[in-house]
Amino acid sequence: MNHIEVIARIILTHNNTLLLDYVADGDYYYMPGGHVEYGETLADCLHRELDEENGARIRVGRQLQTFENIFSDTHGRHHEYLILHDGVLMSHPDGLTDREEKITHRFVPFHELGGIRILPESMHRYLVKYLGQNLPRI
């Protein structure tokens, strides 16, 4: 079935680190968030997904950027729109738990972001620029 996926993602930082989800069997990272369900707002999706993935409580901020991606992987062909927000992590970072079987959350130092694989690549480039220019150093 052909359809377009809508995915909400969020930038959450703590002490000059960025919260990312890591997929070990593919050796890549992506921004926390997930698929928007029918009738769900982007903010509601982010609250639900972060709670499901690692128990995080968040405050969703402004919408920053939208990325369009068309690609194929082992699950087939995808056409997606990723909508990136900034936000605030309300939970203590040490209280987060990994609740997904093949995904772990990691706080990656800003200075290491250029040397890891974050998908999609267009979002990776945006993050490096955004974090370098717009976030205060804590």
Side-chain angles (χ1 to χ4, degrees):
M1 178 167 119
N2 295 333
H3 65 281
I4 296 174
E5 301 169 70
V6 178
I7 302 170
R9 300 272 182 225
I10 190 165
I11 294 175
L12 297 170
T13 63
H14 176 73
N15 292 339
N16 290 321
T17 64
L18 176 66
L19 178 62
L20 292 171
D21 291 329
Y22 178 68
V23 181
D25 64 1
D27 194 27
Y28 67 90
Y29 294 82
Y30 61 88
M31 299 300 301
H35 290 81
V36 179
E37 295 178 359
Y38 182 80
E40 185 175 53
T41 67
L42 294 168
D44 288 344
C45 171
L46 289 167
H47 285 283
R48 175 183 54 76
E49 287 285 350
L50 271 287
D51 181 55
E52 288 174 2
E53 292 173 359
N54 55 37
R57 290 181 304 108
I58 60 170
R59 184 172 64 229
V60 178
R62 62 196 163 130
Q63 183 176 322
L64 298 173
Q65 185 76 21
T66 300
F67 302 88
E68 181 180 28
N69 300 293
I70 300 171
F71 64 97
S72 295
D73 64 10
T74 58
H75 302 288
R77 189 145 170 81
H78 301 270
H79 186 174
E80 64 184 16
Y81 287 96
L82 303 176
I83 303 159
L84 182 64
H85 290 76
D86 64 4
V88 176
L89 182 63
M90 306 300 287
S91 302
H92 191 280
D94 294 338
L96 302 184
T97 58
D98 294 323
R99 297 181 176 178
E100 301 264 335
E101 188 174 316
K102 295 183 179 185
I103 301 167
T104 58
H105 73 274
R106 295 185 179 175
F107 285 91
V108 178
F110 292 167
H111 69 273
E112 293 179 12
L113 294 175
I116 63 173
R117 184 175 177 218
I118 301 173
L119 296 178
E121 291 178 10
S122 57
M123 186 176 286
H124 189 174
R125 288 188 301 272
Y126 178 85
L127 286 170
V128 170
K129 182 178 177 183
Y130 178 83
L131 291 170
Q133 294 178 0
N134 295 312
L135 291 183
R137 299 297 188 230
I138 297 171

